[in-house]
Amino acid sequence: MARGLFSRAWMLKTYHVQARLSYIRVKYLFLVWLVVFVGSWVVYVQYSTYTELCRGRECKSIICDKYSKGIIDGSACSSLCEESSLYFGRCLSTKPNNQVYTSSWGDQDGVIKCQLGDVLHYELGEEMELKKEIALFDKPTRGTSVEKFKEMVASHLKLNEVLLAVVLQGREHTPRLLGFCGDLYVVERVPHAPLYGLSLTWPMDLWIPTGMRRSMDQWFTPSWPRKAKIFIGLLELIEDIFHGTFGSFLMCDMRASTFGYNDRHDLRLVDGRRVVAEEAFKQAMILQRCEEDEDCVYGVDCRTACDRAEHHCMAEVAQPNLARACESLKDYLLRGAPVHLQEELEKQLYACMALKGSAEQMEMEHSLILNNLKTLLWKQISHTNDS
């Protein structure tokens, strides 16, 4: 009897153990399948995105075909199409029609920018010069259709890159042009970009909470005197595009990815696609339909108010470049600042952030705040090796 009970108990125990092992096996098989499925999906999405955004062979083929037919020319054409000494490297593209790659050209490391869409053609030589026939935006005549007006605005926005290059050429706030071939440009590679933090790719950027990401971003920055020099460079950039020969410009993306710096800690504008002529910005915004202020955004952070009665955006920008720059880089500049400077620096940054309306409406206040910030920072670093 006892032996029978023992055998039965042993069989039941064995059965439960086997059942549990089967459950664990199924559970892990499901987890393995889930990991493989999600991993395959991520690889597929990344590959699809890559093939859409990264078409280096297509870019080279189009450019070299035009070169062989004599349609285009430039200092980089023979290296790209005949000598094969200009190489495409890692893809950095974020838009299908704006191909961006690291490049190697002899002993020079650079960045290739290839425009695959319809672009405005302009001449590049030792110095960038505007063609004389390029004119500023003219208001449409009475009876112009909305579609025609949109085409006029789009055409004028294409002039923006040319104007910006001319404005910034003398101060070297943009990467130096190494060569070109038609709509393909080779520019100096900015060794330190983005301006701060880590450049994480999807889906890594989704897994890190926003608060933790902000803290991490502040870890990967140079010493404070060098940050001060970089910020002075940004102030000079804002000064250059404020009421220049070709009008005023708006920087509509103050994120770290828009800027970088070289080994001397000189600021570089690495992504100028969000910089727009103020007049073109105004014309684009009045075409924008809206229900509330949140609908009136150009680029990343150029905002206007919504006229709720007319359901369209107002023309005037809510904050000038300087206010948005101070807001974006406040934490970057305050972290690690000398103790004796903290209070005054914070006071000036908040005064800067409080600027409202276009810079044209507050020219004197804008200039005063900008110069005060430059003077305060320069006094702290002018005697150091970082200056």
Side-chain angles (χ1 to χ4, degrees):
M1 176 72 73
R3 184 179 297 175
L5 290 173
F6 176 78
S7 299
R8 188 174 181 184
W10 177 257
M11 290 175 62
L12 286 172
K13 185 176 181 180
T14 303
Y15 173 77
H16 286 302
V17 169
Q18 290 176 342
R20 182 170 178 78
L21 287 173
S22 297
Y23 170 76
I24 292 173
R25 191 178 294 114
V26 170
K27 180 180 177 181
Y28 278 101
L29 282 173
F30 173 75
L31 289 174
V32 169
W33 173 84
L34 186 63
V35 168
V36 170
F37 175 78
V38 172
S40 300
W41 179 76
V42 169
V43 169
Y44 171 76
V45 171
Q46 292 280 47
Y47 176 76
S48 299
T49 303
Y50 180 86
T51 54
E52 174 63 21
L53 298 180
C54 304
R55 295 175 287 158
R57 290 184 180 178
E58 182 179 345
C59 169
K60 181 177 179 180
S61 175
I62 292 172
I63 292 294
C64 291
D65 181 60
K66 290 181 180 179
Y67 171 64
S68 65
K69 293 176 180 177
I71 299 173
I72 61 172
D73 200 357
S75 57
C77 290
S78 60
S79 297
L80 177 71
C81 304
E82 296 174 351
E83 303 165 10
S84 296
S85 58
L86 174 57
Y87 299 101
F88 284 74
R90 185 164 58 93
C91 175
L92 307 173
S93 302
T94 58
K95 290 187 176 181
N97 289 339
N98 288 284
Q99 301 284 286
V100 184
Y101 301 85
T102 59
S103 71
S104 175
W105 190 8
D107 59 352
Q108 297 185 104
D109 289 330
V111 173
I112 291 175
K113 297 185 177 183
C114 183
Q115 308 265 7
L116 292 182
D118 294 329
V119 296
L120 179 73
H121 294 272
Y122 54 96
E123 294 176 353
L124 296 165
E126 290 293 324
E127 298 289 332
M128 286 186 175
E129 294 184 357
L130 278 176
K131 286 185 177 180
K132 292 182 180 179
E133 61 267 25
I134 292 179
L136 293 179
F137 188 81
D138 292 322
K139 292 183 179 179
T141 57
R142 185 181 294 275
T144 301
S145 68
V146 173
E147 290 303 317
K148 181 63 177 176
F149 186 40
K150 287 182 178 179
E151 288 180 15
M152 292 172 66
V153 172
S155 177
H156 186 59
L157 289 175
K158 288 178 183 178
L159 292 175
N160 186 65
E161 183 179 349
V162 188
L163 293 171
L164 182 66
V166 174
V167 171
L168 300 180
Q169 183 71 17
R171 297 295 289 268
E172 295 187 350
H173 290 311
T174 55
R176 182 168 53 92
L177 179 71
L178 302 177
F180 72 100
C181 183
D183 297 327
L184 180 146
Y185 309 99
V186 187
V187 298
E188 168 192 21
R189 185 185 301 180
V190 179
H192 306 285
L195 185 59
Y196 59 84
L198 294 173
S199 180
L200 298 178
T201 57
W202 185 91
M204 284 290 292
D205 58 337
L206 300 178
W207 296 348
I208 302 176
T210 304
M212 185 183 295
R213 178 64 187 271
R214 286 201 190 100
S215 298
M216 288 175 61
D217 282 345
Q218 296 304 324
W219 297 344
F220 300 94
T221 57
S223 64
W224 187 85
R226 290 171 175 173
K227 288 195 291 185
K229 183 181 180 182
I230 291 167
F231 191 74
I232 289 173
L234 178 57
L235 294 177
E236 290 175 346
L237 170 60
I238 290 171
E239 200 170 22
D240 286 347
I241 65 177
F242 171 60
H243 287 327
T245 305
F246 300 101
S248 296
F249 291 79
L250 291 171
M251 298 169 60
C252 292
D253 188 349
M254 291 291 181
R255 293 177 301 180
S257 57
T258 305
F259 307 100
Y261 57 93
N262 61 20
D263 292 330
R264 298 186 304 275
H265 298 89
D266 299 318
L267 181 90
R268 290 291 183 267
L269 177 67
V270 295
D271 187 354
R273 288 172 295 175
R274 296 298 191 185
V275 182
V276 61
E278 188 170 16
E279 284 304 310
F281 166 81
K282 290 178 179 179
Q283 299 295 341
M285 291 311 294
I286 62 176
L287 292 175
Q288 181 71 30
R289 298 282 298 173
C290 66
E291 297 297 331
E292 51 191 14
D293 290 348
E294 285 71 20
D295 298 328
C296 299
V297 182
Y298 185 95
V300 173
D301 49 29
C302 281
R303 302 175 183 275
T304 69
C306 176
D307 184 342
R308 290 178 174 82
E310 299 293 334
H311 296 287
H312 67 76
C313 297
M314 307 292 282
E316 294 296 333
V317 68
Q319 284 183 302
N321 296 323
L322 183 58
R324 287 179 287 106
C326 289
E327 185 175 341
S328 178
L329 296 184
K330 175 177 68 69
D331 294 338
Y332 174 80
L333 195 58
L334 285 174
R335 184 180 178 88
V339 176
H340 70 276
L341 188 68
Q342 285 269 356
E343 185 177 350
E344 179 61 24
L345 180 57
E346 189 170 10
K347 177 183 174 182
Q348 290 203 24
L349 285 171
Y350 275 104
C352 172
M353 291 162 56
L355 287 169
K356 299 293 183 184
S358 67
E360 186 176 353
Q361 296 172 336
M362 56 180 70
E363 185 166 353
M364 185 174 294
E365 186 180 5
H366 181 281
S367 298
L368 181 63
I369 289 176
L370 190 149
N371 288 328
N372 284 345
L373 268 171
K374 279 180 65 176
T375 301
L376 179 67
L377 295 173
W378 188 249
K379 280 182 178 179
Q380 298 300 314
I381 67 170
S382 59
H383 61 284
T384 68
N385 294 330
D386 298 306
S387 62

